[in-house]
Amino acid sequence: NAGVTQTPKFRILKIGQSMTLQCTQDMNHNYMYWYRQDPGMGLKLIYYSVGAGITDKGEVPNGYNVSRSTTEDFPLRLELAAPSQTSVYFCASSASRVSQETQYFGPGTRLLVL
Amino acid sequence: DQQVKQNSPSLSVQEGRISILNCDYTNSMFDYFLWYKKYPAEGPTFLISISSIKDKNEDGRFTVFLNKSAKHLSLHIVPSQPGDSAVYFCAARAGNEKLTFGTGTRLTIIP
């Protein structure tokens, strides 16, 4: 019963490097989300997807890209890493948008940009 | 512009006593409120929710109270147990819009 899995758990990047944060869910959920949590702050929505092939911007999308080629996977891409992107990133999924209260979160990816 | 605020970053409570976590919001369009619990190195998990048409929702040891006139909600945990030690986030949404999260309160239950 994996739920939502994220890789890697931790990564250090140099300024200007790129990387992809992986997210996979095995619950056949249509909705998937990417959040970031900065120290002392709440979770901020970066991007979300309502189904394969459909993505939309959240509250803080700048510097990120996403794709949704399958129901299961929702990778988050950082093209030119910046220190401001140092954060903990959480992926989540839900069966539908009205059931946001039952968003299932992954364990998070801690990213440090130096 | 922090629309959902948790003004207490941390709270310590003796085991067996009541834990009260508070949350204030500014957006009068919010009509659904949620509490999430987060352990270290794990993602948040949903705990309890309340609609704006209610002022109380109870689930076992957890009760959420909503005071719409004061734009305030609180989470009561009684009796508190060591396993309740975690970070608690309140969140709110307006209709089907995105969730807005508070900054979290770290609860420590002292045995």
Side-chain angles (χ1 to χ4, degrees):
Chain A
N1 190 13
V4 179
T5 57
Q6 292 182 239
T7 57
K9 290 185 179 179
F10 176 67
R11 181 78 182 266
I12 298 175
L13 281 183
K14 294 182 179 179
I15 294 172
Q17 285 185 320
S18 62
M19 78 165 292
T20 299
L21 283 68
Q22 301 291 345
C23 175
T24 300
Q25 54 94 7
D26 62 0
M27 296 172 282
N28 201 33
H29 284 168
N30 286 323
Y31 286 77
M32 295 188 74
Y33 314 82
W34 273 105
Y35 293 90
R36 60 178 285 173
Q37 185 192 8
D38 300 330
M41 303 294 289
L43 281 74
K44 302 285 188 184
L45 183 65
I46 306 171
Y47 270 96
Y48 67 98
S49 169
V50 303
I54 307 171
T55 63
D56 207 349
K57 295 178 180 179
E59 192 177 352
V60 288
N62 291 342
Y64 306 94
N65 281 299
V66 293
S67 59
R68 185 93 182 270
S69 57
T70 66
T71 300
E72 295 78 19
D73 301 305
F74 190 40
L76 177 72
R77 179 82 178 163
L78 284 71
E79 290 293 350
L80 290 170
S84 62
Q85 293 177 304
T86 293
S87 190
V88 180
Y89 293 83
F90 291 101
C91 178
S93 72
S94 65
S96 68
R97 195 170 190 184
V98 294
S99 64
Q100 284 189 66
E101 68 273 16
T102 49
Q103 279 189 26
Y104 294 86
F105 283 83
T109 294
R110 186 176 297 273
L111 178 65
L112 179 60
V113 181
L114 299 174
Chain B
D1 178 25
Q2 191 69 25
Q3 296 188 63
V4 179
K5 300 176 184 179
Q6 294 177 256
N7 292 318
S8 297
S10 62
L11 175 68
S12 295
V13 174
Q14 289 279 348
E15 181 179 358
R17 299 286 187 111
I18 183 171
S19 295
I20 301 176
L21 294 91
N22 294 306
C23 180
D24 297 296
Y25 62 95
T26 58
N27 188 342
S28 58
M29 299 300 291
F30 287 149
D31 59 3
Y32 201 84
F33 304 88
L34 307 90
W35 284 94
Y36 283 82
K37 178 179 181 179
K38 183 184 177 306
Y39 291 120
E42 295 184 12
T45 55
F46 169 70
L47 188 58
I48 192 169
S49 62
I50 187 167
S51 164
S52 60
I53 63 173
K54 294 185 175 182
D55 54 17
K56 177 183 174 181
N57 188 27
E58 192 171 353
D59 183 3
R61 297 185 298 112
F62 303 91
T63 303
V64 56
F65 295 92
L66 176 62
N67 182 334
K68 290 186 290 295
S69 61
K71 294 191 177 66
H72 176 83
L73 66 155
S74 61
L75 174 68
H76 292 210
I77 306 172
V78 56
S80 300
Q81 300 174 353
D84 297 328
S85 294
V87 176
Y88 290 79
F89 292 96
C90 68
R93 72 168 194 244
N96 287 334
E97 295 302 311
K98 66 173 183 66
L99 288 176
T100 299
F101 285 84
T103 53
T105 296
R106 181 178 302 277
L107 175 65
T108 301
I109 305 302
I110 304 166

CSV table of all heavy atoms in Angstrom, one decimal, chain A residues 14-52:
chain,number,residue,atom,x,y,z
A,14,LYS,N,23.6,22.8,-7.0
A,14,LYS,CA,24.3,24.1,-7.2
A,14,LYS,C,23.4,25.0,-8.0
A,14,LYS,O,22.6,24.6,-8.8
A,14,LYS,CB,25.6,23.9,-7.9
A,14,LYS,CG,26.6,23.0,-7.1
A,14,LYS,CD,27.9,22.9,-7.9
A,14,LYS,CE,29.0,22.1,-7.1
A,14,LYS,NZ,30.2,21.9,-7.8
A,15,ILE,N,23.6,26.3,-7.7
A,15,ILE,CA,22.9,27.3,-8.5
A,15,ILE,C,23.0,27.1,-10.0
A,15,ILE,O,24.1,26.9,-10.5
A,15,ILE,CB,23.4,28.8,-8.1
A,15,ILE,CG1,23.1,29.1,-6.6
A,15,ILE,CG2,22.7,29.8,-9.0
A,15,ILE,CD1,23.7,30.3,-6.1
A,16,GLY,N,21.9,27.1,-10.7
A,16,GLY,CA,21.9,26.9,-12.1
A,16,GLY,C,21.7,25.5,-12.6
A,16,GLY,O,21.4,25.3,-13.8
A,17,GLN,N,21.9,24.6,-11.7
A,17,GLN,CA,21.6,23.2,-12.1
A,17,GLN,C,20.1,22.9,-12.2
A,17,GLN,O,19.3,23.7,-11.7
A,17,GLN,CB,22.2,22.2,-11.0
A,17,GLN,CG,23.7,22.1,-11.1
A,17,GLN,CD,24.3,21.0,-10.1
A,17,GLN,OE1,23.8,20.9,-9.0
A,17,GLN,NE2,25.3,20.3,-10.6
A,18,SER,N,19.9,21.8,-12.9
A,18,SER,CA,18.5,21.4,-13.0
A,18,SER,C,18.2,20.0,-12.4
A,18,SER,O,19.2,19.3,-12.2
A,18,SER,CB,18.1,21.4,-14.5
A,18,SER,OG,18.9,20.4,-15.2
A,19,MET,N,17.0,19.8,-12.1
A,19,MET,CA,16.7,18.4,-11.6
A,19,MET,C,15.1,18.2,-11.7
A,19,MET,O,14.4,19.2,-11.9
A,19,MET,CB,17.1,18.3,-10.1
A,19,MET,CG,16.2,18.9,-9.1
A,19,MET,SD,16.5,18.3,-7.4
A,19,MET,CE,15.9,16.6,-7.5
A,20,THR,N,14.8,17.0,-11.6
A,20,THR,CA,13.4,16.6,-11.6
A,20,THR,C,13.0,15.9,-10.3
A,20,THR,O,13.7,14.9,-9.9
A,20,THR,CB,13.0,15.7,-12.8
A,20,THR,OG1,13.3,16.4,-14.0
A,20,THR,CG2,11.6,15.3,-12.8
A,21,LEU,N,12.0,16.4,-9.6
A,21,LEU,CA,11.5,15.7,-8.5
A,21,LEU,C,10.4,14.7,-8.9
A,21,LEU,O,9.4,15.2,-9.6
A,21,LEU,CB,10.9,16.7,-7.5
A,21,LEU,CG,11.9,17.5,-6.6
A,21,LEU,CD1,12.7,18.5,-7.4
A,21,LEU,CD2,11.1,18.2,-5.5
A,22,GLN,N,10.5,13.5,-8.5
A,22,GLN,CA,9.6,12.5,-9.0
A,22,GLN,C,8.4,12.3,-8.0
A,22,GLN,O,8.6,12.4,-6.8
A,22,GLN,CB,10.3,11.1,-9.3
A,22,GLN,CG,11.4,11.2,-10.3
A,22,GLN,CD,10.9,11.4,-11.7
A,22,GLN,OE1,9.7,11.3,-12.0
A,22,GLN,NE2,11.9,11.8,-12.6
A,23,CYS,N,7.2,12.0,-8.5
A,23,CYS,CA,6.1,11.8,-7.7
A,23,CYS,C,5.2,10.7,-8.4
A,23,CYS,O,4.9,10.9,-9.6
A,23,CYS,CB,5.3,13.0,-7.4
A,23,CYS,SG,3.7,12.7,-6.5
A,24,THR,N,4.9,9.7,-7.7
A,24,THR,CA,4.0,8.6,-8.2
A,24,THR,C,3.0,8.2,-7.2
A,24,THR,O,3.3,8.2,-6.0
A,24,THR,CB,4.9,7.4,-8.5
A,24,THR,OG1,5.9,7.7,-9.5
A,24,THR,CG2,4.0,6.2,-9.1
A,25,GLN,N,1.7,8.1,-7.7
A,25,GLN,CA,0.7,7.6,-6.8
A,25,GLN,C,0.0,6.4,-7.4
A,25,GLN,O,-0.1,6.3,-8.6
A,25,GLN,CB,-0.4,8.7,-6.5
A,25,GLN,CG,-1.0,9.4,-7.7
A,25,GLN,CD,-2.3,8.8,-8.2
A,25,GLN,OE1,-2.9,7.9,-7.5
A,25,GLN,NE2,-2.8,9.3,-9.3
A,26,ASP,N,-0.4,5.4,-6.5
A,26,ASP,CA,-1.0,4.2,-7.0
A,26,ASP,C,-2.4,4.0,-6.6
A,26,ASP,O,-3.0,2.9,-6.5
A,26,ASP,CB,-0.2,3.0,-6.5
A,26,ASP,CG,-0.2,2.9,-4.9
A,26,ASP,OD1,-0.8,3.8,-4.3
A,26,ASP,OD2,0.5,2.0,-4.4
A,27,MET,N,-3.1,5.2,-6.4
A,27,MET,CA,-4.5,5.2,-6.0
A,27,MET,C,-5.5,5.5,-7.1
A,27,MET,O,-6.7,5.7,-6.9
A,27,MET,CB,-4.7,6.1,-4.8
A,27,MET,CG,-3.9,5.7,-3.6
A,27,MET,SD,-3.9,6.9,-2.2
A,27,MET,CE,-2.7,8.1,-2.9
A,28,ASN,N,-4.9,5.7,-8.3
A,28,ASN,CA,-5.7,6.0,-9.5
A,28,ASN,C,-6.4,7.4,-9.3
A,28,ASN,O,-7.6,7.6,-9.8
A,28,ASN,CB,-6.7,4.9,-9.8
A,28,ASN,CG,-7.2,5.0,-11.2
A,28,ASN,OD1,-6.4,5.4,-12.1
A,28,ASN,ND2,-8.4,4.6,-11.5
A,29,HIS,N,-5.8,8.3,-8.6
A,29,HIS,CA,-6.4,9.6,-8.4
A,29,HIS,C,-6.2,10.5,-9.6
A,29,HIS,O,-5.2,10.5,-10.2
A,29,HIS,CB,-5.7,10.3,-7.1
A,29,HIS,CG,-6.2,9.7,-5.8
A,29,HIS,ND1,-5.5,10.0,-4.7
A,29,HIS,CD2,-7.2,8.9,-5.5
A,29,HIS,CE1,-6.2,9.4,-3.7
A,29,HIS,NE2,-7.2,8.7,-4.2
A,30,ASN,N,-7.2,11.3,-9.9
A,30,ASN,CA,-7.1,12.2,-11.0
A,30,ASN,C,-6.3,13.4,-10.6
A,30,ASN,O,-5.6,14.0,-11.5
A,30,ASN,CB,-8.5,12.6,-11.5
A,30,ASN,CG,-9.2,11.5,-12.2
A,30,ASN,OD1,-8.6,10.7,-13.0
A,30,ASN,ND2,-10.5,11.4,-12.0
A,31,TYR,N,-6.5,13.9,-9.4
A,31,TYR,CA,-5.9,15.2,-9.1
A,31,TYR,C,-4.6,14.9,-8.4
A,31,TYR,O,-4.4,14.1,-7.5
A,31,TYR,CB,-6.8,16.0,-8.1
A,31,TYR,CG,-8.0,16.6,-8.8
A,31,TYR,CD1,-9.1,15.9,-9.1
A,31,TYR,CD2,-8.0,18.0,-9.0
A,31,TYR,CE1,-10.2,16.4,-9.8
A,31,TYR,CE2,-9.1,18.6,-9.6
A,31,TYR,CZ,-10.2,17.8,-10.0
A,31,TYR,OH,-11.2,18.4,-10.6
A,32,MET,N,-3.6,15.7,-8.8
A,32,MET,CA,-2.3,15.7,-8.2
A,32,MET,C,-1.8,17.1,-8.0
A,32,MET,O,-2.1,18.0,-8.7
A,32,MET,CB,-1.3,14.9,-9.0
A,32,MET,CG,-1.7,13.4,-9.0
A,32,MET,SD,-0.4,12.3,-9.8
A,32,MET,CE,0.8,12.2,-8.5
A,33,TYR,N,-0.9,17.3,-7.0
A,33,TYR,CA,-0.5,18.6,-6.5
A,33,TYR,C,1.0,18.6,-6.2
A,33,TYR,O,1.5,17.6,-5.7
A,33,TYR,CB,-1.3,19.1,-5.3
A,33,TYR,CG,-2.8,18.9,-5.4
A,33,TYR,CD1,-3.3,17.6,-5.0
A,33,TYR,CD2,-3.7,19.9,-5.7
A,33,TYR,CE1,-4.7,17.4,-5.1
A,33,TYR,CE2,-5.1,19.6,-5.7
A,33,TYR,CZ,-5.6,18.4,-5.4
A,33,TYR,OH,-6.9,18.2,-5.4
A,34,TRP,N,1.6,19.8,-6.4
A,34,TRP,CA,2.9,20.0,-5.8
A,34,TRP,C,2.9,21.2,-4.9
A,34,TRP,O,2.4,22.3,-5.3
A,34,TRP,CB,3.9,20.2,-6.9
A,34,TRP,CG,4.6,19.0,-7.5
A,34,TRP,CD1,4.3,18.4,-8.7
A,34,TRP,CD2,5.5,18.2,-6.8
A,34,TRP,NE1,5.1,17.3,-8.8
A,34,TRP,CE2,5.8,17.1,-7.7
A,34,TRP,CE3,6.2,18.2,-5.6
A,34,TRP,CZ2,6.8,16.1,-7.4
A,34,TRP,CZ3,7.1,17.2,-5.3
A,34,TRP,CH2,7.4,16.2,-6.2
A,35,TYR,N,3.4,21.0,-3.7
A,35,TYR,CA,3.5,22.1,-2.7
A,35,TYR,C,5.0,22.3,-2.3
A,35,TYR,O,5.8,21.4,-2.4
A,35,TYR,CB,2.7,21.8,-1.4
A,35,TYR,CG,1.3,21.7,-1.5
A,35,TYR,CD1,0.6,20.5,-1.9
A,35,TYR,CD2,0.4,22.8,-1.3
A,35,TYR,CE1,-0.7,20.4,-1.9
A,35,TYR,CE2,-0.9,22.7,-1.4
A,35,TYR,CZ,-1.5,21.5,-1.7
A,35,TYR,OH,-2.9,21.4,-1.7
A,36,ARG,N,5.3,23.5,-1.9
A,36,ARG,CA,6.5,23.7,-1.2
A,36,ARG,C,6.3,24.3,0.2
A,36,ARG,O,5.3,25.0,0.4
A,36,ARG,CB,7.5,24.6,-2.0
A,36,ARG,CG,6.9,26.0,-2.3
A,36,ARG,CD,8.0,26.9,-3.0
A,36,ARG,NE,9.0,27.3,-2.1
A,36,ARG,CZ,10.1,27.9,-2.5
A,36,ARG,NH1,10.3,28.2,-3.8
A,36,ARG,NH2,11.1,28.3,-1.7
A,37,GLN,N,7.1,23.9,1.1
A,37,GLN,CA,7.0,24.4,2.5
A,37,GLN,C,8.3,25.0,2.9
A,37,GLN,O,9.3,24.3,3.0
A,37,GLN,CB,6.6,23.3,3.5
A,37,GLN,CG,6.4,23.9,4.8
A,37,GLN,CD,6.3,22.8,5.9
A,37,GLN,OE1,6.5,21.7,5.7
A,37,GLN,NE2,5.9,23.3,7.1
A,38,ASP,N,8.4,26.3,3.1
A,38,ASP,CA,9.5,27.0,3.5
A,38,ASP,C,9.5,27.0,5.0
A,38,ASP,O,8.5,27.0,5.7
A,38,ASP,CB,9.6,28.4,2.9
A,38,ASP,CG,9.6,28.4,1.4
A,38,ASP,OD1,10.2,27.4,0.9
A,38,ASP,OD2,9.1,29.4,0.8
A,39,PRO,N,10.7,27.2,5.7
A,39,PRO,CA,10.8,27.2,7.1
A,39,PRO,C,9.8,28.2,7.7
A,39,PRO,O,9.8,29.4,7.3
A,39,PRO,CB,12.2,27.5,7.4
A,39,PRO,CG,13.0,27.0,6.2
A,39,PRO,CD,12.0,27.3,5.0
A,40,GLY,N,9.0,27.8,8.7
A,40,GLY,CA,8.1,28.7,9.4
A,40,GLY,C,6.9,29.2,8.6
A,40,GLY,O,6.2,30.1,9.0
A,41,MET,N,6.7,28.5,7.4
A,41,MET,CA,5.6,28.9,6.5
A,41,MET,C,4.7,27.8,6.3
A,41,MET,O,5.0,26.6,6.5
A,41,MET,CB,6.2,29.4,5.2
A,41,MET,CG,7.2,30.6,5.3
A,41,MET,SD,6.4,32.1,5.9
A,41,MET,CE,5.4,32.5,4.5
A,42,GLY,N,3.5,28.1,5.8
A,42,GLY,CA,2.6,27.0,5.4
A,42,GLY,C,2.9,26.5,4.0
A,42,GLY,O,3.8,26.9,3.4
A,43,LEU,N,2.2,25.5,3.6
A,43,LEU,CA,2.4,24.9,2.3
A,43,LEU,C,1.8,25.8,1.2
A,43,LEU,O,0.7,26.3,1.3
A,43,LEU,CB,1.7,23.5,2.2
A,43,LEU,CG,2.4,22.3,2.8
A,43,LEU,CD1,2.3,22.4,4.4
A,43,LEU,CD2,1.8,21.0,2.3
A,44,LYS,N,2.6,26.0,0.2
A,44,LYS,CA,2.2,26.8,-0.9
A,44,LYS,C,2.1,26.0,-2.2
A,44,LYS,O,3.0,25.2,-2.5
A,44,LYS,CB,3.3,27.9,-1.2
A,44,LYS,CG,3.5,28.9,-0.1
A,44,LYS,CD,2.4,29.9,0.2
A,44,LYS,CE,2.9,30.9,1.2
A,44,LYS,NZ,1.8,31.8,1.5
A,45,LEU,N,1.0,26.1,-2.9
A,45,LEU,CA,0.7,25.3,-4.1
A,45,LEU,C,1.5,25.8,-5.3
A,45,LEU,O,1.5,27.0,-5.6
A,45,LEU,CB,-0.8,25.3,-4.4
A,45,LEU,CG,-1.2,24.5,-5.6
A,45,LEU,CD1,-1.0,23.0,-5.3
A,45,LEU,CD2,-2.7,24.7,-5.9
A,46,ILE,N,2.3,24.9,-5.9
A,46,ILE,CA,3.1,25.3,-7.0
A,46,ILE,C,2.4,25.0,-8.3
A,46,ILE,O,2.2,26.0,-9.2
A,46,ILE,CB,4.5,24.5,-7.0
A,46,ILE,CG1,5.2,24.6,-5.7
A,46,ILE,CG2,5.4,24.9,-8.2
A,46,ILE,CD1,6.4,23.7,-5.6
A,47,TYR,N,2.0,23.8,-8.6
A,47,TYR,CA,1.2,23.4,-9.7
A,47,TYR,C,0.3,22.3,-9.3
A,47,TYR,O,0.5,21.6,-8.3
A,47,TYR,CB,2.2,22.8,-10.8
A,47,TYR,CG,2.7,23.8,-11.8
A,47,TYR,CD1,4.0,24.4,-11.6
A,47,TYR,CD2,2.0,24.2,-12.9
A,47,TYR,CE1,4.5,25.3,-12.5
A,47,TYR,CE2,2.5,25.1,-13.9
A,47,TYR,CZ,3.7,25.6,-13.7
A,47,TYR,OH,4.2,26.5,-14.6
A,48,TYR,N,-0.7,22.1,-10.1
A,48,TYR,CA,-1.6,21.0,-9.9
A,48,TYR,C,-2.1,20.5,-11.2
A,48,TYR,O,-1.9,21.1,-12.3
A,48,TYR,CB,-2.8,21.4,-9.0
A,48,TYR,CG,-3.8,22.3,-9.6
A,48,TYR,CD1,-5.0,21.9,-10.2
A,48,TYR,CD2,-3.6,23.7,-9.5
A,48,TYR,CE1,-5.9,22.8,-10.8
A,48,TYR,CE2,-4.5,24.6,-10.1
A,48,TYR,CZ,-5.6,24.2,-10.7
A,48,TYR,OH,-6.5,25.0,-11.2
A,49,SER,N,-2.7,19.3,-11.2
A,49,SER,CA,-3.1,18.6,-12.4
A,49,SER,C,-4.5,17.9,-12.1
A,49,SER,O,-4.6,17.3,-11.1
A,49,SER,CB,-2.1,17.5,-12.9
A,49,SER,OG,-2.7,16.7,-13.9
A,50,VAL,N,-5.4,18.1,-13.0
A,50,VAL,CA,-6.7,17.5,-12.9
A,50,VAL,C,-6.9,16.1,-13.6
A,50,VAL,O,-7.9,15.5,-13.6
A,50,VAL,CB,-7.8,18.4,-13.3
A,50,VAL,CG1,-7.7,19.7,-12.5
A,50,VAL,CG2,-7.8,18.7,-14.7
A,51,GLY,N,-5.8,15.8,-14.3
A,51,GLY,CA,-5.8,14.5,-15.0
A,51,GLY,C,-4.7,14.5,-16.0
A,51,GLY,O,-4.0,15.5,-16.2
A,52,ALA,N,-4.4,13.3,-16.6
A,52,ALA,CA,-3.3,13.2,-17.5
A,52,ALA,C,-3.5,14.2,-18.7
A,52,ALA,O,-4.6,14.3,-19.2
A,52,ALA,CB,-3.3,11.7,-18.1
